[in-house]
Amino acid sequence: MTSGTASQVDWERLRAAALEAMGHAYAPYSKFPVGAAALVDDGRVVTGCNVENASYGLGLCAECGLVSALHAGGGGRLTAFTCVDGEGRLLMPCGRCRQLLYEHGGPELLVELPSGVKPMSEVLPDAFGPERL
Ligand SMILES: O=c1ccn([C@H]2C[C@H](O)[C@@H](CO)O2)c(=O)[nH]1
Ligand SMILES: [Zn+2]
């Protein structure tokens, strides 16, 4: 399966996976648990949750775990992504995470934001990616 259109994605399933991952977050400092889920081009769903640290600046966003799960599970390209907060509300990935996601999904990765589904080319315009090296 290659990256399709937003309507071909089961966003509800993806949000449910993100919500489940959020339940595993370790966020005792911010008290802001986050869960992320993405569809891989082979049909897998990979997830991640934020993992904070007593050395606050070392906290890992949910997207970091998701990217690690992508590769630990065999790699592939991300085609659709969503993330939710502790109340199940859709969340904008932070700037660093947009860059992390761009590496593994490119400009066509579909990203679900509170404002709707957008391609990564709009979520991170004029991106610096591997094709620029
Ligand atoms: O895209 C994001 C934005 C924030 N967080 C986490 C980082 C921190 O643990 C908490 C509050 O910023 O939310 C994520 O996991 N992903
Ligand atoms: Zn982040």
Side-chain angles (χ1 to χ4, degrees):
M1 200 208 313
T2 51
S3 58
T5 63
S7 60
Q8 291 173 309
V9 175
D10 187 347
W11 292 104
E12 207 172 307
R13 175 176 173 230
L14 222 48
R15 280 195 296 273
L19 205 60
E20 192 190 341
M22 182 276 294
H24 299 292
Y26 177 73
Y29 307 110
S30 71
K31 301 193 177 0
F32 192 81
V34 176
L39 195 59
V40 185
D41 60 357
D42 63 4
R44 277 148 61 219
V45 170
V46 288
T47 62
C49 59
N50 56 335
V51 179
E52 298 183 346
N53 194 281
S55 178
Y56 297 160
L58 300 184
L60 302 174
C61 282
E63 291 85 341
C64 299
L66 182 149
V67 166
S68 180
L70 170 70
H71 286 277
R77 297 289 289 170
L78 302 177
T79 61
F81 169 86
T82 193
C83 62
V84 298
D85 68 14
E87 287 168 12
R89 293 176 302 206
L90 291 171
L91 197 68
M92 286 77 65
C94 80
R96 179 175 187 270
C97 289
R98 292 177 195 207
Q99 180 73 28
L100 285 181
L101 294 168
Y102 185 88
E103 180 82 17
H104 304 285
E108 285 164 21
L109 170 61
L110 296 172
V111 181
E112 189 179 40
L113 301 171
S115 54
V117 175
K118 294 180 182 164
M120 185 52 101
S121 56
E122 287 178 35
V123 176
L124 187 66
D126 301 325
F128 176 78
E131 68 280 0
R132 303 269 176 213
L133 296 172

